[in-house]
């Protein structure tokens, strides 16, 4: 029995197979320990190190600076393949790749050159934006960056700091002395930075989504930028990362249930065949799950094209075209989110109908697919996305491009 039981379609470009071949042995190596890491709650520090060594974090960068020059469509399909191996990893790298895109589409500057060089060396970026019960006034942060002589100091506490515990840098949302929103980059191992792996969710348990504290952290002035300078389709990009993760989850579930059915020796006296692998009702369940995985992957590729249109308009420096592309992308991706989430949650539930109670053993880890899918689908709640799509369809109300949670 081979690992690949699903027919997921050809890659998004003619060269995709060659690009993916560079990383597939590594993805398989990551997959082999995924269940055990889950059972032991062992963070994938080593596995993320392998990805860094292989240049995966720089895959979007141009080849002339050491990247792979992956297109947006190629990148997100690669991300789905990584998620199929271990869905924690693409979420841990989610803000890193958003940051890469932000650098790539930024106008030429010393800041851009500096970050291109860092990313080309394999340096990675985590996130620290969300605050809980901050006591800050509405629409702002309690985390602050203030002058200290010729430099700056950062103080505050952040939650859901996904990926930061693994990263070289942390992108922190704060306010400056004028109460303006700013984006601050600090080295993860700078004095005064503390990150705790205290994420207590039942899924995506190894994403490093813990609490980060910043106590008088020194900040270089050139690493403070207005928050509004983030690229206009940033939120859409982050959401598509979740969609690629969901696609990987459902593909993994589909393949694992097919393998389990093929290997299953026992069946029921009231079953429709002497073996599960010949039972038409069981095969129907397996076929449905594979079909849902196929459909989710197709929707992902369609949503990714909306991001490409945003990037194209941004690079051309066409503000009106950019705004129109960004609005369209937000609506398309919101539609994709509600549909993919429904397909994946249903598939990861129905998969158990093809198996017996032994499939629920924790040692098999099949439950992780539903738990991980449910957790990813709970980000940026579906009810809001459906409302936003409906409001746009009926009233042509533009969608919000950026949002924050946990603010007072």
């Amino acid at each position: 029995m081979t690992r690949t039981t699903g027919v997921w379609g050809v890659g998004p470009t003619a060269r995709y197979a060659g690009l993916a071949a560079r990383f597939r042995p590594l993805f398989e190596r990551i997959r082999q320990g995924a269940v055990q890491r889950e059972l032991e709650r062992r963070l994938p520090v080593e596995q993320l190190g392998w990805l860094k060594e292989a240049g995966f974090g720089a895959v979007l960068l141009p080849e002339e600076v050491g990247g792979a020059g992956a297109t947006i469509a190629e990148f997100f399909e690669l991300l789905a393949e990584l998620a199929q191996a271990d869905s924690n990893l693409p979420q841990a790298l989610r803000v890193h790749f958003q940051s890469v895109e932000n650098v790539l589409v930024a106008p030429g500057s010393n800041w851009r050159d500096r970050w291109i060089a860092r990313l080309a060396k394999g340096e990675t970026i985590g996130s620290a934006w969300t605050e809980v019960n901050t006591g800050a006034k509405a629409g702002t942060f309690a985390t602050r960056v203030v002058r200290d002589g010729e430099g700056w100091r950062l103080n505050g506490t952040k939650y859901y700091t996904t990926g930061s515990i693994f990263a070289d840098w942390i992108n922190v949302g704060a306010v400056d002395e004028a109460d303006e929103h700013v984006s601050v980059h600090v080295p993860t191992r700078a004095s005064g930075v503390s990150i705790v792996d205290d994420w207590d969710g039942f899924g995506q348990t190894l994403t490093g989504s813990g609490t980060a504290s910043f106590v008088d952290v020194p900040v270089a002035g050139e690493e403070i930028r207005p928050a509004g300078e983030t690229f206009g389709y940033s939120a859409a990009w982050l959401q598509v990362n979740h969609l690629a993760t969901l696609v990987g989850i459902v593909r993994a579930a589909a393949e694992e249930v097919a393998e389990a059915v093929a290997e299953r020796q026992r069946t029921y006296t009231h079953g429709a065949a002497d073996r599960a692998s010949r039972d038409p009702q069981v095969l129907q369940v397996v076929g449905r799950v594979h079909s849902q995985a196929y459909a989710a992957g197709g929707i992902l590729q369609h949503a990714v094209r909306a991001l490409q249109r945003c990037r194209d308009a941004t690079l051309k420096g066409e503000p009106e075209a950019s705004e129109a592309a960004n609005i369209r992308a937000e609506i398309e991706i919101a539609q994709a989110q509600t549909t993919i989430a429904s397909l994946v949650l249903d598939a990861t539930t129905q998969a158990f109908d093809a198996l017996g109670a032994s499939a629920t053993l924790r040692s098999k880890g099949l439950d992780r697919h539903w738990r991980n899918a449910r957790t990813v689908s709970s980000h940026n709640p579906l009810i809001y996305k459906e409302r936003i799509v409906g409001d746009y369809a009926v009233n042509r109300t533009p969608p919000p491009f950026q949002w924050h949670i946990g603010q007072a």
Side-chain angles (χ1 to χ4, degrees):
M1 192 74 177
T2 63
R3 272 296 305 165
T4 303
T5 65
V7 179
W8 311 129
V10 298
T13 64
R15 73 159 197 162
Y16 179 76
L19 178 62
R22 171 179 165 184
F23 297 105
R24 281 173 177 162
L26 177 54
F27 293 167
E28 175 59 20
R29 187 180 174 196
I30 289 169
R31 183 199 66 80
Q32 289 174 3
V35 173
Q36 200 61 33
R37 287 192 298 276
E38 179 94 7
L39 295 174
E40 297 173 0
R41 193 184 169 89
R42 180 158 38 92
L43 292 176
V45 176
E46 185 179 24
Q47 290 68 32
L48 286 161
W50 298 342
L51 289 168
K52 179 183 286 192
E53 291 171 8
F56 188 75
V59 71
L60 281 163
L61 296 183
E63 292 179 287
E64 56 265 29
V65 298
T71 66
I72 292 178
E74 290 169 342
F75 163 69
F76 279 108
E77 188 62 26
L78 279 174
L79 207 65
E81 291 201 31
L82 174 59
Q84 188 173 344
D86 185 339
S87 65
N88 291 282
L89 274 62
Q91 186 170 349
L93 292 168
R94 178 172 172 249
V95 168
H96 168 74
F97 285 115
Q98 178 212 27
S99 299
V100 173
E101 181 71 1
N102 193 43
V103 170
L104 287 175
V105 301
S109 65
N110 291 334
W111 176 86
R112 184 180 187 275
D113 293 342
R114 184 168 62 251
W115 274 103
I116 287 285
R118 287 170 177 168
L119 296 168
K121 288 193 299 184
E123 295 182 20
T124 55
I125 305 169
S127 171
W129 279 72
T130 300
E131 297 186 3
V132 179
N133 297 324
T134 63
K137 66 181 181 180
T140 190
F141 294 120
T143 300
R144 303 188 71 85
V145 59
V146 297
R147 286 192 179 276
D148 180 28
E150 295 183 359
W152 297 78
R153 295 281 175 176
L154 177 70
N155 285 277
T157 301
K158 297 288 186 174
Y159 304 87
Y160 309 123
T161 57
T162 303
S164 291
I165 201 168
F166 311 112
D168 300 293
W169 294 83
I170 309 177
N171 178 225
V172 186
V175 290
D176 61 14
E177 293 173 322
D179 282 340
E180 296 293 331
H181 279 195
V182 291
S183 168
V184 181
H185 282 93
V186 296
T188 309
R189 289 160 185 80
S191 172
V193 176
S194 174
I195 306 174
V196 180
D197 175 34
D198 59 357
W199 167 238
D200 193 34
F202 61 63
Q204 295 296 93
T205 56
L206 307 180
T207 57
S209 299
T211 300
S213 299
F214 305 91
V215 179
D216 288 332
V217 178
V219 179
E222 63 267 23
E223 299 301 344
I224 304 173
R225 288 168 63 84
E229 291 186 5
T230 303
F231 63 108
Y233 52 99
S234 173
W237 180 282
L238 288 170
Q239 188 55 57
V240 174
N241 192 295
H242 280 324
L243 301 185
T245 302
L246 286 169
V247 168
I249 289 171
V250 73
R251 286 176 179 172
E255 296 199 340
E256 287 180 30
V257 74
E259 289 181 354
V261 168
E263 296 168 358
R264 187 171 171 78
Q265 299 296 319
R266 300 168 59 207
T267 188
Y268 294 91
T269 56
H270 55 298
D274 59 346
R275 283 196 59 165
S277 60
R278 291 191 281 267
D279 189 317
Q281 290 181 280
V282 171
L283 296 177
Q284 181 179 359
V285 173
V286 174
R288 183 192 313 128
V289 171
H290 273 67
S291 299
Q292 289 171 312
Y294 177 80
I299 296 168
L300 171 66
Q301 287 198 18
H302 200 71
V304 162
R305 289 197 286 270
L307 290 182
Q308 185 64 58
R309 290 192 294 271
C310 293
R311 180 196 270 187
D312 292 344
T314 299
L315 292 175
K316 289 177 182 176
E318 301 173 348
E320 290 185 5
S322 292
E323 183 179 10
N326 293 347
I327 289 173
R328 185 177 179 88
E330 282 288 338
I331 298 301
E332 286 195 43
I333 291 162
Q335 292 171 156
Q337 179 186 353
T338 59
T339 308
I340 289 176
S342 296
L343 287 168
V344 175
L345 289 170
D346 184 66
T348 53
T349 298
Q350 297 298 323
F352 286 89
D353 289 338
L355 301 164
S358 60
T360 66
L361 294 176
R362 290 195 68 246
S363 59
K364 295 184 183 296
L366 287 175
D367 62 305
R368 76 190 191 282
H369 299 308
W370 181 87
R371 288 187 294 100
N372 290 340
R374 181 64 273 177
T375 301
V376 173
S377 299
S378 297
H379 289 285
N380 314 322
L382 299 175
I383 57 170
Y384 298 147
K385 296 298 182 178
E386 290 179 335
R387 187 206 73 225
I388 288 166
V389 171
D391 199 8
Y392 180 79
V394 173
N395 302 310
R396 283 297 183 264
T397 304
F401 291 112
Q402 299 288 347
W403 63 97
H404 301 296
I405 65 171
Q407 296 179 359

